[in-house]
Amino acid sequence: MLTISKQFHFSASHVLDKLPSWHKCARMHGHNYVVVMELSAHPDDLTEAGFVRDYGDLDRFKTWVDETLDHRHLNEVMGISTSAENMALWIFSQWVERYPELTAVWVSETPKTWAVYRVEPRRTPAGG
């Protein structure tokens, strides 16, 4: 299996509203998020150029991040609990149809923490 990844950045606020009122994350706060998209393909499924997917094809995701997530209040955008874990799953579900090679989405709220949603790679030819 061959894997590529690309990192994206945005800033946003959120409230983890299912926490006790005394918990600091129950108050509105913000993060400088890092999202990593990971795409995988079997060697037989690479594009003619030898790519899992051309990195330039991920520009659509960058545009979406800038328009949908950057400098937004995530509770208003996502419609579910805005934990990093839920965000990884939510982003994956928004993009797996456009990027069938998508195997993982990593979300970081701080330099030391990561949440990952991962699936097994599908045998789907890349480049679509």
Side-chain angles (χ1 to χ4, degrees):
M1 196 57 53
L2 296 160
T3 300
I4 64 168
S5 62
K6 189 168 181 178
Q7 197 176 94
F8 303 87
H9 299 256
F10 69 96
S11 299
S13 66
H14 72 143
V15 175
L16 292 171
D17 53 7
K18 304 291 186 202
L19 294 174
S21 60
W22 53 262
H23 195 288
K24 68 180 182 178
C25 293
R27 297 187 300 268
M28 185 183 299
H29 62 285
H31 299 285
N32 293 316
Y33 287 93
V34 179
V35 173
V36 175
M37 294 192 86
E38 181 181 291
L39 295 87
S40 301
H42 186 275
D44 293 339
D45 295 333
L46 297 178
T47 66
E48 189 173 315
F51 298 151
V52 170
R53 179 175 281 269
D54 188 327
Y55 283 110
D57 291 345
L58 300 180
D59 289 348
R60 292 185 293 169
F61 181 72
K62 170 66 171 136
T63 300
W64 179 83
V65 166
D66 291 346
E67 293 175 356
T68 307
L69 303 175
D70 192 40
H71 286 81
R72 305 284 181 176
H73 185 61
L74 297 178
N75 297 72
E76 296 172 357
V77 174
M78 292 175 54
I80 58 173
S81 174
T82 56
S83 67
E85 295 89 337
N86 279 341
M87 188 179 307
L89 173 58
W90 182 77
I91 291 171
F92 183 91
S93 68
Q94 300 287 314
W95 283 89
V96 68
E97 292 302 318
R98 286 173 254 189
Y99 299 144
E101 312 87 2
L102 187 61
T103 50
V105 173
W106 297 62
V107 174
S108 173
E109 295 178 333
T110 71
K112 296 181 181 181
T113 61
W114 289 91
V116 181
Y117 180 75
R118 179 183 304 282
V119 297
E120 291 297 316
R122 295 192 276 177
R123 288 296 308 269
T124 303

